[in-house]
Amino acid sequence: MKQCVRCLEDNEQLFYLGECRRCLSFPFAEDVEISVWDDFEKTITLMPWQDEISAVLAEKGVHESMFIDAVCGAGKTEICLELIERCFREGKPVAWTVPRREVVLELAARLQSYYPSQSIIPVCGGHTDKTIADLVVCTTHQLFRYYQYFDVLILDEPDAFPYAGNEILERILHTSCRGTIIYLSATFSIDHVKRLELSIRPSGVLLPVPEIKRGYFLLIRLILDLSKYSNESCLVFVPTKKLARKLSHILRSPMITSDTEDKQSPIDTFRQSGGILIATTVLERGVTFPECFVFVYCADHITFNEGSLVQISGRALRGMKPKKGKVIFYCLEINQDIQKAIKRITAANNSALSVLKNHPKTNLY
C-alpha cells in the first residue's frame, strides 16, 4: 500500500504518477547548514521554579519528548530558552510552532530580541519567502514545508484550533520532526511523554478564580459591571460572532472575531489605551494585556469548554507585578465545563502554594 512520507496519506485516489496530491504544492525546505552559536549574554532572570524546569529541558529535551504542563502566564517562552540555546550551540535545527499567525509574528520578534545574532524567522501567511533559519517560528500548517528536518520541535498550545483534532496536521508535525517534541500548554494532557508541572507564575501571584454571576438579565448585569470598571482595560469574551457584533453596537466598542482582517490594530490600541475590547475565543490564547479585567458573557454556552474558560481566565493578573484584575463569568447555569475550569484553576493555585512554601526566601519583587 502506497503512503506519503510527509503527510502519511494512504488514499490511493490522492496519488498521481507516484506523487501525493494532498501536499504536493508545499515545497520541502532546503537542506542548509545551521550556524553554530556560542555567544549569549544573559538578558533574563528566571524564578527558582522556572529555573528547575528550564534545567531539565536543557539537559534532556534534545533526547526525550516532554510535556510542560504550565499555567497561563507561567513564562513558557523563558523556560524554553536554555533548550533553544543548546540547539544553537550544537547546530541543531529547532522550530517553535503555534496555532495563530499573529502569535507567530510576536513570538519571532520576541525571540529575536533575545538572540540578535541568530537567524530567527516567522513562517506563516505573508511570510514564506525565507523558510530556513537557526530557529523557525511557524504556524502548524507551515510544517508541510519540512520533512524530517527539526531536531527539536516546540509545540505551543496543542489543544488549540486548528491543530487540535486535525489528523493531517498531527501527521505533518510528526513527519517534520526527526527528534523530540516539547508540548506546552495549560489545558492539555498527554500520557506517553514525561510531564513537568509549572503551576505558578513568575510573579508568585495566584491565578484569578472566576467570580460567577448566575441568573437572568445577564446583559444588563454585564453592562452595569462594565460601567463600574470604566477606567480599566475590560476584555469581554462572547461565544459567537453574532453576539460580538451585537455587543459592539450596544457598547460602541471594537471587536475581534475570526472574520476581523486586521486583528493587530485593535489589540495594539487596547494595550495602549484600555477601554473595552469584545472578542470571541480567537483571543483566548497567546495575548497578554497589562492590568486586564476579563468578562465572559454566556459562559455556559457550548462554545466555551473547560480549556477555553481556563485560558480566558488566564488573561488576567499577568506580568511580574500585577496590581489589579479579575474574572467574571455570566451564565444561566453553572455547567460541568465551568465547574471543571474552576476546579483546575483552584488545583493549580493549591500546587502553587506548595511551591512557594519550598521557596520561602524568594524575592518576588
Side-chain angles (χ1 to χ4, degrees):
M1 181 176 63
K2 185 182 294 294
Q3 185 179 55
C4 177
V5 297
R6 181 158 47 170
C7 71
L8 305 181
E9 180 58 60
D10 57 8
N11 185 345
E12 294 184 0
Q13 295 181 352
L14 294 177
F15 287 83
Y16 179 71
L17 297 180
E19 298 286 351
C20 174
R21 300 290 100 181
R22 183 185 291 278
C23 61
L24 182 64
S25 61
F26 294 89
F28 285 96
E30 299 176 2
D31 189 12
V32 299
E33 184 178 355
I34 299 298
S35 59
V36 177
W37 163 90
D38 60 2
D39 181 22
F40 174 63
E41 185 175 332
K42 200 80 169 179
T43 57
I44 63 168
T45 301
L46 299 180
M47 302 306 293
W49 46 84
Q50 291 177 304
D51 206 28
E52 292 170 1
I53 303 293
S54 175
V56 174
L57 267 181
E59 178 186 357
K60 300 181 178 180
V62 295
H63 305 298
E64 180 182 358
S65 294
M66 298 182 183
F67 166 43
I68 311 303
D69 187 358
V71 298
C72 300
K76 296 193 297 291
T77 303
E78 287 70 25
I79 64 175
C80 290
L81 294 183
E82 196 173 352
L83 172 61
I84 292 173
E85 291 163 23
R86 178 174 178 179
C87 292
F88 287 165
R89 289 192 181 96
E90 297 179 3
K92 297 180 181 293
V94 57
W96 193 310
T97 183
V98 298
R100 289 177 45 233
R101 177 182 181 275
E102 291 79 15
V103 180
V104 166
L105 299 177
E106 286 190 15
L107 182 59
R110 183 176 175 188
L111 291 169
Q112 188 70 79
S113 70
Y114 288 138
Y115 308 108
S117 62
Q118 292 303 116
S119 173
I120 300 174
I121 59 170
V123 180
C124 56
H127 295 265
T128 56
D129 291 339
K130 185 177 180 181
T131 57
I132 296 301
D134 302 325
L135 171 59
V136 173
V137 184
C138 64
T139 56
T140 49
H141 277 89
Q142 294 297 333
L143 291 174
F144 267 110
R145 300 177 178 276
Y146 307 91
Y147 172 68
Q148 293 290 293
Y149 189 81
F150 299 110
D151 289 311
V152 173
L153 191 152
I154 300 171
L155 174 57
D156 204 345
E157 308 292 5
D159 54 323
F161 177 85
Y163 180 81
N166 189 315
E167 185 178 354
I168 295 299
L169 288 181
E170 290 179 11
R171 292 175 181 178
I172 293 296
L173 179 132
H174 285 281
T175 58
S176 69
C177 181
R178 63 192 179 201
T180 61
I181 299 174
I182 308 300
Y183 301 85
L184 307 175
S185 181
T187 50
F188 181 66
S189 61
I190 187 170
D191 297 327
H192 64 272
V193 300
K194 182 181 181 68
R195 174 180 173 272
L196 301 175
E197 182 182 3
L198 186 57
S199 59
I200 182 171
R201 291 171 165 178
S203 65
V205 176
L206 299 182
L207 301 172
V209 179
E211 175 186 346
I212 297 178
K213 296 199 174 184
R214 176 188 177 189
Y216 298 100
F217 308 110
L218 294 179
L219 182 56
I220 295 175
R221 290 187 180 192
L222 172 64
I223 293 174
L224 289 175
D225 284 342
L226 288 173
S227 67
K228 296 177 186 177
Y229 297 99
S230 59
N231 295 323
E232 309 292 352
S233 297
C234 297
L235 187 57
V236 182
F237 283 91
V238 295
T240 66
K241 290 182 280 189
K242 182 178 180 180
L243 269 176
R245 290 190 292 268
K246 178 181 178 181
L247 269 184
S248 178
H249 176 72
I250 293 173
L251 300 174
R252 297 184 180 181
S253 300
M255 68 175 185
I256 294 181
T257 72
S258 58
D259 293 337
T260 305
E261 293 185 5
D262 180 13
K263 296 181 177 66
Q264 198 58 47
S265 293
I267 288 174
D268 291 340
T269 300
F270 184 66
R271 281 201 180 109
Q272 295 166 7
S273 307
I276 298 174
L277 178 61
I278 300 160
T280 57
T281 53
V282 71
L283 282 192
E284 74 178 32
R285 305 165 188 254
V287 291
T288 299
F289 303 110
E291 311 295 339
C292 183
F293 289 74
V294 177
F295 306 83
V296 186
Y297 182 59
C298 298
D300 51 343
H301 192 279
I302 192 173
T303 297
F304 296 122
N305 56 30
E306 175 194 351
S308 62
L309 291 172
V310 170
Q311 292 284 350
I312 288 169
S313 300
R315 299 311 101 199
L317 290 178
R318 296 172 74 102
M320 280 306 296
K321 297 182 180 181
K323 297 178 181 178
K324 54 186 176 180
K326 68 185 306 181
V327 181
I328 303 177
F329 289 174
Y330 301 83
C331 59
L332 289 175
E333 62 177 353
I334 303 174
N335 61 16
Q336 286 191 351
D337 286 306
I338 292 176
Q339 293 174 2
K340 289 179 180 178
I342 292 177
K343 183 178 179 180
R344 181 187 284 262
I345 293 169
T346 303
N349 283 342
N350 291 335
S351 179
L353 290 173
S354 298
V355 173
L356 287 174
K357 288 180 181 179
N358 293 329
H359 299 281
K361 297 182 180 180
T362 299
N363 182 10
L364 295 173
Y365 304 112

